[in-house]
Amino acid sequence: VPHMHGREGVSGLEGVIGRHESPGPSTSSDRTFPWTPGVNPPVPWQVDVDGAREEARRQVAQMLKRPEDLARLPELKEAVAAKLQRLDLVMTSQLEAATDGTRVGLDGLQKARGAVLRTRDNFSQIEAPSKGEKAGGLADNHHLIRDLAVMRANISRTIRDAEAVVALPEDAARAIELLDDDEQNLFECWERLSELAQRARPARAALEAARRRADNDTTAISMTEPAAAQFAAIDDAMDRFETTLWRSVRGSLFAGRGGSAALARAMRVVEEQEALDELLVEKAEKVRERAVRKNKASEELVDSIVMVSKHYKRQVLREIREAVPERFEMTVGSLVTDPGGEEATNVPVVIENLDILMQQLTELYDYAVPAFPTKYKIFELVVAPAWHKQICLFIDRLVEVARDLSNADIIAVLNWYQSYAAQMDALGVEVETEPSESEVAVGTPPVSVHDKNGGLPPGGKNEKVDSPSVLSIESFLSSTHGAVMTTNKSDKISSDEVEYTMSDDEEGGDVQMTYPVGFFELVNIYTSRMTKTVQTWSANLRRMTTTQPLKPAEDGTLWTASDVEFFRLLNEQLEVAMSGGKILVSAAAMVISSALSGFASEQYKRLSGEGVSSTNAALASPSFSRHFRTTSNVIENAAERAVMTAAKNVDYNVLLAGVNDASRCHRLALEMESSLVDALQSSDAMKRLVKKAGAAATGKSSVVRPAIDLFLANMEHCAAAAAAAVTSDPSVISLFGQMYAVDKGGTSPWLEGEVTETLVATVLDYLGDVVQFVTRDLASMVNEAVFNRVVKHMIEACMKQLQTIRPETVGRMEEDENALRECFEDFLPSNRLDLGLQRLADVRDLAAADDTESFVLAYGLVVQSMPELGIEPAERLLAAREDIPRATQREVLEECRELLSNQMAIRK
């Protein structure tokens, strides 16, 4: 880095304040002298040079040892050329400093030689009078001679100072002429002007002190007026110099390779001036300390030493900070139109110019930053913060015209910021790509795309016909309508409030490159439009579902096509949002999760038959159309009520297709959850969204989890409703009504096996539909639901309709169990069959008990497998036993109640 330190910097300063040091002997050369091993010894640096050459050859051979490495040769040449250019810049600056130091040293030697010669002459003149006849009289008048010598010296010094003051304008003009001839003389001009200012400072301080002492004496004031003009010439020349210096700094900053040398010269002046200020302050402090020890006033003496500190470093930092907004205004300032103007802001052109700015910043990093001392950390602490501040201010300007921007424009701006952050990271500066947790979240709140009942809000009377198409993600991206500004003006954070401020001379500490506040508003606008579009798409898909028939797949299974379309659209929305960064993904995740929950609620509403008399005529095939009526049994809970309502109002095939649809939606929702976690790049970000979602997602692992659970519940609901539809078939209800029943004449179709045979045939017909229309992995769930419901109804029929246990009753019950096994054995695994048939076997064992003890034991098994039946099995089957006296029945019933009570206590 071309800045001054060591002997080079001190020699320049000592030339300014009047102290010189002779440079040491040179130990280097600009060319290599040959040497022969064993003949003449090498110079010390020759071995290092040869060693460096050998190491370079070795490294080149290492990099190009494979044939394919030759393809990288142009790239390596370019990198080496750039490195050599930077080294050349450093060496040039150091050579200039060394040359100036040598020149000052030679001048000092010349002056010292002249002073020695003059001193010899003076000694000769002093010795001459002592050899004459009047030498004795000189000794007698020594005190007069001493006073005369002091007076002469004072008068000579005053005359020299006056001559120097008179010559100030001419000397200052000559110094400025150096700068007018060539700005490469910047350092020499500064050196001369600084020396003139320091030379004039004692006289200036003395005259100023004299004027303060005689402030009422007009003669004293008039006495200083001529000198003031001379000092003004120095001030004017210094002002001209500083104007040129700061113009050079500002003009060279973005000049690329061509401005690096000028910037290095300017920074050399800045560093020398800072060092000069420091030296003068130290000297003044020493003068004060000596004056305090001697109890003498020293303000005038201090004023004669110290010039006013220039603070060149602070000014350089200020110039850089002012150059950055000028560059932005020049490049992109006119590209953002006024809000509501006739022409909209051309975002692609804006981004193109922002990319040009980033290229200029990279050139600044490559060519301008090396000209500054490393201790400045000029890029990290000055350039990058000023640059990022302008980026944030420019984004705020885009927010003002955000209503005129398309969704694609907003995505492009957010995506550009991600590339900007990556480029800054490559330059060694970390820029926030998402808001930190400590910042106030102005982002999109949880937006509900369905009403309080779980459905999407209905379209208004004035709803436009040209709403976004279900298949048109392109129309969404090009849209500029439907923006809802979700941030109140009172909550809006101005750019002044988040402006990063840093003192001009700050050198340490890390600068936080915060996420632009304006992006919160852009994200709010985008997600508001996204919410409206998703609402429209959902409404269109809902209409498609209610008007189009079920779609059979190649394997014969039934599906609702709109479900897949809905997830395809949401995935497209997520894919687009991912290019806008994590904050847009987070906001989109809230919209997507709410949309999924609304879609699941609408699916449940459609498949539960709420408020629907008959919405399925167009959906079901005529050959499978059936009419159901609910049973007269008391429905104990809301889930059972919903199942029975669906069995009554929704077509059986629609319920079977609903099992497929809900399962597929559950799987797609899980994939959506995984995609969101991948897009957010952490599960912690998903947990933060859960907190933001509120009560709906409390205790869940992600914001999508409520929708996932709803789809799973919908699948279970459809399976249960399909099973209820089977048992609610009028013919099946009639068959259940004949089971276990015997007329007064002793005849019974059930005992003859006709009822069970017909029931099995009907159930097999339904199971065939399940196998045909439901996917293989889900068919067993529906079949199991049908089996459990058939078993449940058979047990209920036994409890209500078995009036008398005849010898053939138990055998018929066992044959019913075998018939059910044959009916379901091709559709369910044996372990599931055994579990359900065991409940029937337990009831049969209770009916077949031949004494009170075996009856109580059999009842204990019934309570273990079916505690929900309570005491009813014991009461019903005891009442049907004609061979057990009533008194004994009461005793047995009491034992059964005690057994039930103990069993329930154990369960609790």
Side-chain angles (χ1 to χ4, degrees), residues 247-256 258-260 262-263 368:
R247 184 179 68 245
S248 177
V249 170
R250 189 174 293 193
S252 304
L253 198 61
F254 292 98
S260 56
L263 196 57

Side-chain angles (χ1 to χ4, degrees), residues 1-3 85-87 89-90 93 260 263-264 267 362-374 378-379:
V1 178
H3 61 280
Q85 194 277 335
R86 288 195 294 269
L87 292 175
L89 173 62
V90 174
S93 301
S260 56
L263 196 57
M267 289 311 301
T362 303
E363 292 180 355
L364 181 149
Y365 183 86
D366 290 336
Y367 301 113
V369 170
F372 292 87
T374 54
I378 196 68
F379 190 80

Side-chain angles (χ1 to χ4, degrees), residues 295-307:
N295 296 322
K296 294 182 179 180
S298 62
E299 290 302 325
E300 295 181 10
L301 185 57
V302 171
D303 291 341
S304 67
I305 296 175
V306 181
M307 296 187 297

Side-chain angles (χ1 to χ4, degrees), residues 872-893:
E872 184 180 7
E875 293 177 340
R876 296 286 186 179
L877 295 182
L878 276 175
R881 296 292 295 267
E882 297 178 350
D883 56 334
I884 301 178
R886 296 302 176 188
T888 304
Q889 290 182 9
R890 285 193 294 269
E891 294 176 359
V892 172
L893 191 60

Side-chain angles (χ1 to χ4, degrees), residues 785-897:
V786 173
F787 172 69
N788 290 334
R789 200 162 273 270
V790 169
V791 170
K792 176 184 175 182
H793 279 272
M794 290 180 65
I795 293 175
E796 289 179 352
C798 178
M799 296 298 104
K800 296 178 181 180
Q801 298 170 187
L802 184 60
Q803 301 296 327
T804 303
I805 298 178
R806 299 173 180 270
E808 62 270 22
T809 299
V810 175
R812 179 69 261 169
M813 294 174 71
E814 185 176 5
E815 292 178 4
D816 289 349
E817 296 170 20
N818 295 332
L820 283 181
R821 182 179 295 276
E822 293 178 2
C823 175
F824 285 95
E825 64 181 356
D826 293 333
F827 305 99
L828 289 178
S830 58
N831 59 335
R832 296 291 183 179
L833 276 176
D834 294 340
L835 187 62
L837 293 176
Q838 183 61 45
R839 295 197 293 269
L840 289 176
D842 291 341
V843 174
R844 172 169 55 82
D845 291 341
L846 185 62
D850 52 3
D851 54 38
T852 57
E853 183 178 356
S854 60
F855 187 91
V856 173
L857 291 175
Y859 176 73
L861 296 176
V862 171
V863 170
Q864 290 180 4
S865 61
M866 295 172 286
E868 68 276 4
L869 294 180
I871 197 64
E872 184 180 7
E875 293 177 340
R876 296 286 186 179
L877 295 182
L878 276 175
R881 296 292 295 267
E882 297 178 350
D883 56 334
I884 301 178
R886 296 302 176 188
T888 304
Q889 290 182 9
R890 285 193 294 269
E891 294 176 359
V892 172
L893 191 60
E894 189 62 31
E895 292 183 26
C896 291
R897 285 194 178 95

